[in-house]
Amino acid sequence: MSRTQPSAPATPGRVRRLLDEVRPAVVPARQRRPAGGSRPSEGDSGLPEDGSRRPAGGPRPGPWRRGPVLTGCALLLGLLLPLHGTLTDRAGLGSLVETFLPWFGLCVPVLLAGALLRRSAAALVALLLPVTMWLHLFGGLLGDRSQAGGDLTVVSHNVAAENRDPAGTARELAASGADLLALEELTDRARGTYEKALAKAYPHHVVRGTVGLWSRLPLSDTRSVDVLRGMAGPLAETLRPEDRPVEPPRALRTTVATGKGPLAVYVAHLGSVRVTAGSGFWTDSRDAGATKLAAAVAAGHDKRVLVLGDFNGTTDDRAFDGLTSRLRSAQDVAGAGFGFSWPASFPVARIDQILVRGVEPRSAWLLPATGSDHLPVAARISW
């Protein structure tokens, strides 16, 4: 009987070889952390720098394939700016977007930062579309378009029903040197204060309901303009027409006698807008008033027209197409910047307008804040 050969001694080299043979079955199939405690690199871990997963050992997407979400957002923004008029106005979505349309330009630096962080060439190229569209729509408003001269200075101001210092507001407005001064949101309580404070500077004035015009020049042919939506809804249906409350006029039309011929002037305060849980951005009253005001201006057939007032909306809003198709904004033609007028503490939208036809805006600007939540808007026009 043969004897079994004794095992070879366990030398250090042999132990190392045995460990190398069994390691694949024990250690997961990935690179171990290098000595010294440093974290594995992207190539070691199989994970991209942004932490997203891909098949182990797969190549990192190239710069033209990174950031597909950023690329899509940039393209959508670039299409929204010129095509905002095609948005549905259900729940007031279209009007809401158009009210703050210039502010969508702030999305560009946000998307740019994301594209640079992801090193996405596709997103960077896609951003050229919204940048081009924004500059096309609003680039011309960035500079000062005013010119010297002018024949008539006009001011429009929503003085606010809750204004605690109507006398001070009147003094500040008179100090502007305006030839025509349109006021909106007049109350019965404050009306006498304005009439007294402005009597010396403005010998002519007319008031209809909550709007009025003070003038250094004679006025004639004054009448109210119906821009009210009227009472509607379930409550209105339960009331007889004679029992429904009568709202005071919110617009007027008058003729100013200038040295170069008559000037038809409209002063209007269109209906308010509201954000509600049930109807979203509610603009029904304002939109109805805008339609009626546009119809009144069109029916007048006046050669020279000036429309002043608080529209509760910007000229980008589709609700004012009937007006902006016939008249020009003095701010757009001859202003400096966007001329945001509301709210006075931090203006984000120009909802107070000066529109013209048959006369030439020479300059447009904002006046300092008063006791109102609106800033006064001013313009100088010429024939």
Side-chain angles (χ1 to χ4, degrees):
M1 174 181 273
S2 61
R3 299 180 62 182
T4 305
Q5 289 287 68
S7 300
T11 64
R14 182 167 183 173
V15 171
R16 188 179 299 109
R17 287 194 298 273
L18 289 173
L19 290 175
D20 289 340
E21 292 175 1
V22 301
R23 183 180 292 117
V26 177
V27 181
R30 69 175 67 176
Q31 293 289 339
R32 292 177 298 166
R33 179 175 297 186
S38 61
R39 295 186 62 84
S41 64
E42 179 187 341
D44 294 333
S45 66
L47 295 178
E49 293 176 355
D50 61 3
S52 61
R53 295 191 173 275
R54 63 172 181 267
R60 183 183 183 186
W64 293 100
R65 299 184 63 185
R66 296 176 200 157
V69 174
L70 291 170
T71 303
C73 289
L75 293 175
L76 286 175
L77 178 61
L79 294 174
L80 171 67
L81 289 170
L83 301 177
H84 59 85
T86 64
L87 281 177
T88 177
D89 204 30
R90 186 172 184 178
L93 175 62
S95 283
L96 182 61
V97 168
E98 289 161 346
T99 298
F100 301 103
L101 195 61
W103 291 97
F104 278 80
L106 294 179
C107 296
V108 171
V110 175
L111 293 173
L112 176 61
L116 293 175
L117 183 64
R118 291 285 288 114
R119 299 178 184 178
S120 171
L124 287 173
V125 172
L127 276 172
L128 293 175
L129 180 61
V131 169
T132 301
M133 292 297 100
W134 193 93
L135 290 175
H136 172 71
L137 293 173
F138 305 113
L141 302 180
L142 297 178
D144 187 351
R145 303 168 298 284
S146 63
Q147 304 176 57
D151 300 304
L152 207 65
T153 300
V154 300
V155 168
S156 177
H157 188 32
N158 180 324
V159 294
E162 66 278 6
N163 191 328
R164 297 182 178 181
D165 186 19
T169 297
R171 287 193 299 269
E172 292 180 40
L173 294 175
S176 69
D179 299 294
L180 299 177
L181 180 58
L183 303 185
E184 303 90 45
E185 208 165 296
L186 293 168
T187 63
D188 292 337
R189 182 183 69 257
R191 174 177 171 176
T193 301
Y194 287 108
E195 290 176 332
K196 181 179 179 180
L198 297 172
K200 183 177 180 180
Y202 300 94
H204 310 279
H205 85 279
V206 291
V207 175
R208 294 292 185 273
T210 62
V211 298
L213 181 70
W214 276 256
S215 172
R216 299 183 190 274
L217 303 171
L219 304 175
S220 63
D221 191 23
T222 302
R223 60 179 180 272
S224 299
V225 177
D226 179 18
V227 295
L228 295 172
R229 176 173 179 260
M231 194 174 179
L235 177 60
E237 295 175 358
T238 65
L239 300 175
R240 295 176 300 175
E242 59 270 21
D243 293 333
R244 296 177 186 177
V246 177
E247 296 186 55
R250 292 171 64 111
L252 65 81
R253 185 255 184 225
T254 190
T255 300
V256 179
T258 75
K260 297 187 178 181
L263 174 67
V265 177
Y266 292 81
V267 182
H269 182 195
L270 301 183
S272 299
V273 299
R274 302 182 183 89
V275 178
T276 65
S279 57
F281 190 57
W282 186 83
T283 63
D284 291 4
S285 179
R286 184 207 64 186
D287 295 351
T291 300
K292 291 184 175 183
L293 180 60
V297 172
H301 302 292
D302 299 293
K303 183 178 179 181
R304 299 185 182 96
V305 179
L306 182 63
V307 180
L308 309 162
D310 174 8
F311 285 11
N312 275 309
T314 70
T315 52
D316 292 316
D317 197 309
R318 67 193 70 184
F320 304 106
D321 287 350
L323 287 167
T324 55
S325 63
R326 297 182 175 92
L327 302 106
R328 297 183 296 164
S329 164
Q331 178 66 29
D332 290 351
V333 175
F338 291 93
F340 295 148
S341 63
W342 179 89
S345 56
F346 187 80
V348 297
R350 185 181 178 88
I351 64 175
D352 301 276
Q353 309 297 343
I354 299 177
L355 306 182
V356 302
R357 184 179 72 200
V359 294
E360 189 65 27
R362 304 294 294 180
S363 57
W365 64 97
L366 297 169
L367 295 177
T370 68
S372 170
D373 58 341
H374 293 244
L375 292 176
V377 295
R380 190 153 179 82
I381 61 175
S382 65
W383 272 252

